[in-house]
Amino acid sequence: MTGIRYSPDSVLVPTTPGALLEWAATHITHVGIYQSRHSLFSGPGRLAHRRCSVGGALDVAAGRDRMAPDRPYDLEAIGAALDDAYRILAEHLERGPVLIPPGREPTAHHKTVVHLWTLAPGRTAQQAAAALRAAAETAEAADRLF
């Protein structure tokens, strides 16, 4: 991971897809998985220490509820990295390119693929972390090529 160490309270936010995916994997390993995008993760009072979905871990990795008001963030870079992270993870989970239905926004569809995978009965935090780490390796390998 590119110099940013995991901490659920850290105000540092990764700006590459690989680092976001690795941070999310560590987060899921640390806090566990909750098989819903709503409830514990969402809304006022959500804590970075509570279980979350795979998408929720990615969102926390990208700074949701962790950004400090007095620190500058490159929101454009973070947003682009988060979109790429969702795409790379969705492609990993689908074992290839994800076909986007006509009229559907690609990132929204990638998020849906990740969310549906998370909801599979019996999904474990270990499986989620392994998928996130495998996707992180793919992202980091691609970064080394360019």
Side-chain angles (χ1 to χ4, degrees):
M1 198 161 78
T2 59
I4 295 177
R5 299 288 176 230
Y6 168 82
S7 169
D9 297 319
S10 174
V11 296
L12 299 177
V13 178
T15 56
T16 66
L20 283 172
L21 288 157
E22 181 60 39
W23 201 100
T26 303
H27 187 65
I28 283 284
T29 300
H30 182 75
V31 301
I33 194 171
Y34 183 77
Q35 292 186 304
S36 174
R37 183 78 166 155
H38 306 286
S39 187
L40 283 180
F41 179 76
S42 296
R46 190 215 52 82
L47 301 173
H49 300 285
R50 291 194 174 173
R51 295 173 294 185
C52 60
S53 66
V54 173
L58 275 170
D59 292 345
V60 171
R64 181 159 180 198
D65 294 338
R66 297 190 309 111
M67 291 183 177
D70 60 341
R71 183 179 182 91
Y73 294 96
D74 187 343
L75 298 179
E76 189 173 310
I78 293 167
L82 183 59
D83 289 350
D84 283 345
Y86 270 108
R87 178 187 52 78
I88 293 163
L89 180 57
E91 289 175 352
H92 171 73
L93 298 174
E94 293 289 306
R95 294 181 170 83
V98 175
L99 298 176
I100 308 299
R104 183 84 196 252
E105 196 274 321
T107 299
H109 189 67
H110 294 139
K111 287 180 178 185
T112 298
V113 169
V114 170
H115 181 60
L116 293 175
W117 182 86
T118 301
L119 291 177
R123 184 71 64 214
T124 67
Q126 292 77 18
Q127 291 169 326
L132 286 159
R133 285 198 172 97
E137 289 176 17
T138 299
E140 289 168 1
D143 282 346
R144 286 191 295 271
L145 291 175
F146 300 102

